Amino acid sequence: MATTGAGGRGNPSEAFIAELRHWREVAGMSQKALAGAVGYDPSYVSKVERGSVMPSRSFAESADQHMRAGRALIRRWNDLHGSTVRAGPQERATERGAPDDPQSAPGPSLIVEHELAELSYIETGHGPMWRTHIRRQLHNVGTEPVTQYLIRIAVDRFPGEPERSNRLYREDPLTWDEVGLRARSGDEAMTWSVKHDRDAFKELWLLFENEDGRFPLYPGDSTWIDYTYTVAAHKWGPWWQRAIRLPTRRLSMAIDFPATLDPALWGMETSMSAEAHAFRTPIRRDSDTDRAIFTWSTEDPPLHARYRIEWKFRTTDSDMDKRRRPVNPADKMRELGIIQEGATVLSETAQRFDLPRDAEDVRRALARITATMERVRQVHNFSKGMGLAAPQVNLSRAMAVVRTPSGESLTLINPRIIEQSTDGDEQYEGCLSFFDVRGMVPRPHTIEVEHQTIEGETRITVFERGIARLVCHEIDHLHGVLYRTRMRPGMTPIPVSQYRGTGTQWSYPTS
């Protein structure tokens, strides 16, 4: 999937529009989704992007915050309105001779148009973990196709105390099972080959291929690669660093902590020719319910520079013990980005995609749904399979993704049930949007579903038994229907603490 980065640097209005569209793509948000997040009418966002309305400061601030743009939109807004605020060294990067023409850029055949790096502290069934999620837009400016891309995973629990760190990793090395690496290029899953495998350091080639074929990055093309990995919290030190190894147009960093840890952050920049110094622009803090989210970005960072964020937690372990209380399942899902019962988006009919015209909206929605599913999967075992509809991630669009117990992923675009069997049964279901309870829901054993491909081709697929139940549940979400309304009169859900079916699949009579 070829994409382009934010452009239009010469004209301030075009630059702001390009910046806004770029960050919507990075965040996987449609105009309607962004409007809902920032409290504006969708027509306002549309007019801003068409250039018929000048964006307000409050809109720019709110959009920057919700899309974690690290004040990139604010800088463009200042340019647009002729702000007299003196630009800092990072904002003046292009004035120092950074090339605007990718074809003239120095260095290897790849340019990173944008790296968006996110680090999150999460609680899982295996204890607290650090999850790193990297999205990197690569542009091939060379003359040969690119077939692999080198990445590194390195940890240092006790910086400045190498013997102590080495002892930790000798006794408890970083393993591939723990890392759980997943990688994609555009819509394609990537495989990899290991170059170095050490106790605290992994280096590997991400390959532009999978079991279905190869998809090299050809000269002149660009793509987003996307990879995620996790590390147990006791193996991760109080720092995070991004190194500039390829010519890079933009670097964005975001760190997501539980607010109860009361984190304090600072940033240091180093290069091969300079001493370490503080970030030249501030790290921004935003609050999202019970999370503390920090964002920072820079443009045209010099080659070989390193940007290191360090932190301390002002809440001590004894303080956490005093505050620690059981977190109910619904709150946990809310933390992971699942919209909860009571939100308007869960009670309205989702908008269908006009395909293939809306293909890009489909890709963005799919990226957002699958990323959320991955976060949820890491904290809960779904032995029956799982599903997630677009409204549950605050996108009122007719799309859902179902993951079967065997791990197969089914993407349903504009789905509707056109036929269902008369035979069926009642079994317990759970819903990520009110996960504290389980309800006995009647469903047919077999359904026929009409749906579309991203190219707009109509298909009909037959689903049976447990998969049919999952698909019915998600299609209901697209019509604003929660499973409570499907239960027989007089039946009510039971608390999840009383449910005994966790870890098992739905049962069906053998043929």
Side-chain angles (χ1 to χ4, degrees):
M1 178 178 67
T3 57
T4 58
R9 294 188 180 190
N11 182 299
S13 178
E14 293 175 357
F16 181 89
I17 293 169
E19 196 78 45
L20 180 62
R21 288 173 174 166
H22 174 74
W23 279 101
R24 276 207 304 105
E25 178 181 352
V26 170
M29 300 180 77
S30 65
Q31 290 181 348
K32 182 177 180 180
L34 175 60
V38 301
Y40 280 73
D41 189 89
S43 64
Y44 180 87
V45 180
S46 176
K47 291 175 181 176
V48 167
E49 292 196 1
R50 291 201 309 270
S52 59
V53 168
M54 290 285 280
S56 67
R57 173 79 184 197
S58 62
F59 170 78
E61 286 274 7
S62 188
D64 190 279
Q65 174 183 343
H66 279 84
M67 295 189 291
R68 300 187 183 182
R71 299 194 70 77
L73 281 170
I74 304 307
R75 290 195 289 272
R76 295 298 188 197
W77 189 92
N78 287 337
D79 293 341
L80 176 61
H81 290 266
S83 172
T84 58
V85 177
R86 183 180 178 185
Q90 300 299 342
E91 285 83 351
R92 294 197 301 269
T94 55
E95 300 172 13
R96 297 199 302 268
D100 281 340
D101 178 8
Q103 300 295 340
S104 67
S109 61
L110 280 177
I111 283 178
V112 178
E113 296 287 355
H114 192 165
E115 175 178 323
L116 176 64
E118 298 180 340
L119 179 68
S120 303
Y121 183 94
I122 59 174
E123 294 284 351
T124 74
H126 303 289
M129 307 281 285
W130 287 102
R131 183 183 64 241
T132 300
H133 179 201
I134 306 295
R135 292 198 71 207
R136 195 174 281 135
Q137 187 182 23
L138 301 178
H139 184 188
N140 185 351
V141 297
T143 58
E144 299 294 330
V146 173
T147 59
Q148 58 186 11
Y149 183 81
L150 188 68
I151 67 169
R152 296 177 176 89
I153 301 170
V155 290
D156 184 1
R157 178 68 179 86
F158 305 107
E161 300 180 73
E163 285 302 319
R164 191 178 179 190
S165 277
N166 289 340
R167 185 168 60 252
L168 167 67
Y169 299 119
R170 280 196 303 269
E171 297 172 354
D172 190 4
L174 195 63
T175 67
W176 289 108
D177 284 343
E178 173 187 342
V179 167
L181 178 68
R182 288 173 172 78
R184 301 188 70 83
S185 170
D187 297 328
E188 295 284 353
M190 303 180 77
T191 54
W192 53 83
S193 65
V194 176
K195 183 178 181 182
H196 295 293
D197 183 0
R198 299 171 185 160
D199 291 345
F201 176 79
K202 313 290 185 191
E203 190 172 54
L204 52 102
W205 292 102
L206 293 183
L207 306 178
F208 288 84
E209 61 181 71
N210 56 34
E211 61 184 11
D212 296 323
R214 299 181 178 181
F215 38 93
L217 182 60
Y218 286 98
D221 286 348
S222 63
T223 190
W224 284 94
I225 65 169
D226 188 305
Y227 61 93
T228 304
Y229 61 87
T230 57
V231 175
H234 72 277
K235 298 181 186 179
W236 191 280
W239 63 279
W240 187 42
Q241 179 173 279
R242 308 309 303 158
I244 306 301
R245 296 188 175 92
L246 290 173
T248 300
R249 300 295 191 201
R250 176 175 304 173
L251 169 68
S252 305
M253 301 174 71
I255 306 184
D256 184 348
F257 297 102
T260 53
L261 295 175
D262 195 12
L265 275 73
W266 58 95
M268 300 297 293
E269 175 186 348
T270 61
S271 66
M272 296 181 66
S273 59
E275 296 292 328
H277 58 80
F279 281 1
R280 304 180 189 208
T281 54
I283 300 173
R284 172 174 175 163
R285 174 171 180 162
D286 298 306
S287 293
D288 182 7
T289 61
D290 56 354
R291 308 293 293 184
I293 301 168
F294 297 82
T295 57
W296 181 81
S297 69
T298 186
E299 296 182 9
D300 299 302
L303 202 61
H304 306 303
R306 286 175 167 80
Y307 296 93
R308 182 183 180 103
I309 293 179
E310 302 179 22
W311 58 83
K312 67 176 181 180
F313 297 140
R314 289 173 290 209
T315 298
T316 65
D317 290 340
S318 60
D319 291 334
M320 287 296 290
D321 289 339
K322 293 175 183 177
R323 297 183 190 183
R324 191 171 285 119
R325 64 185 186 280
V327 178
N328 66 50
D331 285 342
K332 178 61 67 177
M333 292 301 130
R334 184 180 290 107
E335 290 177 10
L336 296 171
I338 305 294
I339 298 300
Q340 293 299 296
E341 185 178 21
T344 302
V345 70
L346 294 180
S347 61
E348 60 186 17
T349 300
Q351 178 185 353
R352 290 174 60 85
F353 292 97
D354 182 0
L355 296 171
R357 190 191 69 176
D358 290 344
E360 203 57 40
D361 286 343
V362 168
R363 293 189 180 97
R364 284 193 288 265
L366 180 60
R368 185 161 171 177
I369 293 170
T370 53
T372 304
M373 290 180 76
E374 180 58 29
R375 291 198 298 271
V376 173
R377 188 198 64 80
Q378 291 183 20
V379 302
H380 191 85
N381 174 32
F382 291 91
S383 56
K384 298 176 179 65
M386 68 179 296
L388 192 62
Q392 293 178 279
V393 294
N394 207 25
L395 295 174
S396 187
R397 300 305 299 268
M399 170 185 274
V401 176
V402 168
R403 186 170 293 170
T404 69
S406 65
E408 181 185 3
S409 187
L410 309 173
T411 300
L412 301 172
I413 307 170
N414 294 336
R416 68 186 186 98
I417 298 172
I418 58 175
E419 192 71 47
Q420 63 183 45
S421 63
T422 56
D423 62 318
D425 65 359
E426 287 183 290
Q427 304 215 40
Y428 278 108
E429 293 182 15
C431 180
L432 299 178
S433 292
F434 50 103
F435 209 50
D436 297 298
V437 296
R438 299 293 184 268
M440 186 69 80
V441 185
R443 300 285 189 192
H445 279 164
T446 305
I447 59 173
E448 292 185 17
V449 176
E450 180 185 274
H451 55 103
Q452 289 185 286
T453 66
I454 196 169
E455 294 82 14
E457 178 185 349
T458 298
R459 294 182 178 175
I460 296 176
T461 303
V462 177
F463 299 103
E464 298 180 327
R465 298 192 168 189
I467 309 305
R469 179 172 290 275
L470 286 168
V471 171
C472 283
H473 182 113
E474 299 311 321
I475 291 179
D476 273 354
H477 272 300
L478 305 182
H479 295 280
V481 175
L482 302 182
Y483 77 65
R484 293 181 194 272
T485 64
R486 297 291 189 192
M487 298 176 67
R488 287 187 291 108
M491 297 289 288
T492 58
I494 63 171
V496 68
S497 59
Q498 298 177 17
Y499 177 60
R500 297 294 177 262
T502 300
T504 63
Q505 295 190 19
W506 286 303
S507 61
Y508 291 91
T510 57
S511 302

